[in-house]
Amino acid sequence: MDYKKISRYIVLGILFFLPVTFLLFLYPATHHYTPLDIINEDVLDIHRFSSDSNDSNQDIILKDHLTVLGFLGHNPLENSTAASNLKELVYDKFKGFKRFQIVILLPKGSEDAAKQLKNEISSYEDLRFWHFAFGEPNAIHNVFNSLKSKHPLNGDLSTNSVFVVDKELKQRGRLDDRSDNEIEKNKSAYMLTSYDCIEVAEIKNKMSDDLRILFTEYRQKRKGEFNSDTRRANDLNNNDE
């Protein structure tokens, strides 16, 4: 009996079946996802805002887009850390998804500062899906007030928080953002209405996960596979939506 050959087959068998077995254990826990909650409806669109788009025929609006919406105020360069985190941790990751955009609302008069900020964070990269839109202070307040937020705008019309708005102008987030530990301790439920761009962990973990879920939802809607119940998430990394 060729024990060396038998040993070789046993090792090959283990190498083949071990990862398969591991995936089978993971599958029941990971093949479903819960659609991202609608926490607010009727977010105001930005038709009356001007934009920094090089395409004069392109109107920057929220409807029919999956938008990360932010507010960087009169002095956007003072909020460069929030903008850089948003660019590196969100824009660079999701810019390949159809209809994805980042829109930053700024008051009129901050166009030059916005251009400087864009140059600062671009590193000569493609920022076609990153837009600055300019409006009067009251128009910015109106859009912000149509969102659900735990904190008001700062006096300079800025906030470190960004908001997720879907194609139907509905704000997305989490109706219950408790951790497993908080649920075990019977803590009261609380919502996640926005994502703090200064908190890197929150952007990398919560926001990235939530955006992937939202893109999957729209991909399934396009294919006629989505319903409001828990659905299979076959490939959250597929960026064809």
Side-chain angles (χ1 to χ4, degrees), residues 45-71:
D45 214 329
I46 55 173
H47 295 287
R48 296 184 180 180
F49 284 69
S50 59
S51 78
D52 64 341
S53 172
N54 293 323
D55 184 354
S56 59
N57 295 318
Q58 180 187 15
D59 290 328
I60 305 304
I61 59 174
L62 307 183
K63 186 171 175 57
D64 297 325
H65 293 79
L66 297 175
T67 304
V68 174
L69 182 62
F71 303 78

Side-chain angles (χ1 to χ4, degrees), residues 105-124:
L105 300 189
L106 300 171
K108 289 182 177 180
S110 60
E111 287 85 352
D112 288 342
K115 186 175 182 180
Q116 291 180 53
L117 178 59
K118 202 166 191 177
N119 289 336
E120 183 178 309
I121 66 174
S122 69
S123 303
Y124 304 102

Side-chain angles (χ1 to χ4, degrees), residues 89-90 93 199-209:
L89 302 176
V90 178
K93 184 179 292 187
E199 298 294 333
V200 172
E202 184 168 311
I203 297 297
K204 289 179 69 174
N205 299 324
K206 291 183 179 181
M207 189 174 187
S208 289
D209 286 349

Side-chain angles (χ1 to χ4, degrees), residues 187-198:
K187 298 283 187 180
S188 298
Y190 56 87
M191 289 195 297
L192 176 67
T193 60
S194 60
Y195 307 83
D196 189 338
C197 287
I198 300 300

Side-chain angles (χ1 to χ4, degrees), residues 67-212:
T67 304
V68 174
L69 182 62
F71 303 78
L72 292 186
H74 285 281
N75 303 298
L77 285 167
E78 294 182 359
N79 296 295
S80 59
T81 299
S84 295
N85 288 345
L86 192 59
K87 191 267 179 184
E88 293 174 9
L89 302 176
V90 178
Y91 182 85
D92 288 350
K93 184 179 292 187
F94 295 104
K95 63 184 178 182
F97 288 71
K98 282 185 179 181
R99 292 293 181 172
F100 169 72
Q101 63 179 1
I102 289 181
V103 176
I104 305 297
L105 300 189
L106 300 171
K108 289 182 177 180
S110 60
E111 287 85 352
D112 288 342
K115 186 175 182 180
Q116 291 180 53
L117 178 59
K118 202 166 191 177
N119 289 336
E120 183 178 309
I121 66 174
S122 69
S123 303
Y124 304 102
E125 295 177 17
D126 177 14
L127 289 181
R128 283 180 298 162
F129 312 109
W130 179 298
H131 309 291
F132 289 111
F134 306 94
E136 298 295 340
N138 65 326
I140 292 174
H141 274 293
N142 287 341
V143 174
F144 183 83
N145 290 338
S146 74
L147 296 160
K148 191 177 289 291
S149 176
K150 290 183 178 179
H151 307 287
L153 276 178
N154 296 323
D156 66 347
L157 303 179
S158 72
T159 176
N160 291 328
S161 299
V162 293
F163 305 82
V164 173
V165 181
D166 70 16
K167 293 183 180 182
E168 291 78 36
L169 298 178
K170 296 175 182 177
Q171 183 181 350
R172 298 297 190 103
R174 303 183 184 187
L175 292 172
D176 187 351
D177 191 38
R178 290 177 298 173
S179 65
D180 291 340
N181 187 46
E182 288 174 322
I183 292 173
E184 288 178 6
K185 292 181 178 180
N186 244 353
K187 298 283 187 180
S188 298
Y190 56 87
M191 289 195 297
L192 176 67
T193 60
S194 60
Y195 307 83
D196 189 338
C197 287
I198 300 300
E199 298 294 333
V200 172
E202 184 168 311
I203 297 297
K204 289 179 69 174
N205 299 324
K206 291 183 179 181
M207 189 174 187
S208 289
D209 286 349
D210 289 355
L211 284 173
R212 289 181 186 278

